[in-house]
Amino acid sequence: RLAQNWGVSVDVTWEMGDFDRDGVVGPADASILAANWHYGLADPFGSDITDLLDSLNTAVPEPSTLALLILGGLGLSLCRRGIRQS
């Protein structure tokens, strides 16, 4: 939004890029943006947004793994049952 509103000086807001609140979107606002680049935003739960994104990248087993474990257990129990009957 800073680039879109560069040089605007009428009714500018922080959301439009007036970070120093001097009423003009200009070089001072660009330097404030550059100095705070990649600091992240706080999410509603109080943690940093990068922590939230990192938590989405955690390894989760596939449902097929659970199905294979169940089938393996079922196969072992059937083998045991066959050994007992002989």
Side-chain angles (χ1 to χ4, degrees), residues 69-81:
L69 286 173
I70 291 172
L71 286 174
L74 182 61
L76 285 174
S77 68
L78 289 176
C79 284
R80 290 180 122 187
R81 186 177 289 173

Side-chain angles (χ1 to χ4, degrees), residues 4-76:
Q4 293 171 343
N5 298 306
W6 190 264
V8 175
S9 61
V10 179
D11 296 326
V12 291
T13 62
W14 185 89
E15 290 82 12
M16 294 172 68
D18 184 21
F19 302 124
D20 62 355
R21 300 189 189 272
D22 66 349
V24 178
V25 178
D29 301 303
S31 66
I32 291 171
L33 178 64
N36 293 291
W37 194 257
H38 284 291
Y39 271 99
L41 300 173
D43 70 0
F45 303 107
S47 63
D48 193 57
I49 197 76
T50 54
D51 293 337
L52 179 65
L53 293 176
D54 287 341
S55 70
L56 296 176
N57 291 329
T58 56
V60 177
E62 293 186 34
S64 59
T65 305
L66 181 60
L68 285 174
L69 286 173
I70 291 172
L71 286 174
L74 182 61
L76 285 174

